[in-house]
Amino acid sequence: MIRLEELGIGINFTKIKVDTSKLESLASSLVELKVKHKGFDWVDDNYWLSKKEPDESVSQFFTLGNSINF
């Protein structure tokens, strides 16, 4: 797996501020969605991710996808 440092991409995370109220709102929305949609889990979806992929790769997949959305 290639890391950002290996590509020469430097990111300074000290300038990032997290709005905890927004984070709590997002977390509660996700919990609400999970309760509403108990019958399906993305892990069961064979179309998107291989079950052989390590958790780190899956996490990076979603991280990159979410960053593209913003």
Side-chain angles (χ1 to χ4, degrees):
M1 180 176 351
I2 297 174
R3 300 187 186 274
L4 292 177
E5 296 85 17
E6 295 172 10
L7 297 173
I9 299 172
I11 298 176
N12 184 355
F13 288 104
T14 59
K15 295 181 182 181
I16 296 174
K17 294 182 182 178
V18 176
D19 184 339
T20 55
S21 66
K22 300 286 184 188
L23 187 60
E24 289 172 1
S25 175
L26 174 63
S28 64
S29 295
L30 292 174
V31 168
E32 184 178 326
L33 280 172
K34 183 178 180 183
V35 170
K36 285 182 181 179
H37 302 284
K38 289 182 187 178
F40 181 78
D41 190 356
W42 68 269
V43 175
D44 297 330
D45 190 351
N46 289 324
Y47 178 76
W48 294 107
L49 298 167
S50 169
K51 303 304 181 247
K52 298 175 186 172
E53 293 293 326
D55 289 343
E56 186 178 55
S57 294
V58 173
S59 177
Q60 287 191 2
F61 172 81
F62 281 110
T63 300
L64 289 172
N66 286 334
S67 67
I68 291 168
N69 287 331
F70 289 104

